[in-house]
Amino acid sequence: MMRRWLRDRPWIWILLFLLVLMAGSFATLVIAELNKPHVLN
């Protein structure tokens, strides 16, 4: 049932791919900010 529903709607995979891509880039930005070296003047 679920498998056929997904096969009939290929745009869901594109949407899912974009969401994963955005979540990954957001996580990368967060990690980069947390690991940013603090330079003391």
Side-chain angles (χ1 to χ4, degrees):
M1 169 69 192
M2 187 73 181
R3 198 164 274 186
R4 194 173 136 221
W5 186 80
L6 283 171
R7 207 181 295 129
D8 290 343
R9 292 158 181 82
W11 57 268
I12 288 176
W13 296 111
I14 298 160
L15 198 71
L16 205 69
F17 176 72
L18 287 173
L19 281 170
V20 168
L21 212 66
M22 285 195 299
S25 57
F26 182 71
T28 305
L29 281 173
V30 170
I31 292 165
E33 280 296 313
L34 290 172
N35 293 338
K36 190 161 58 176
H38 296 286
V39 181
L40 299 170
N41 298 12

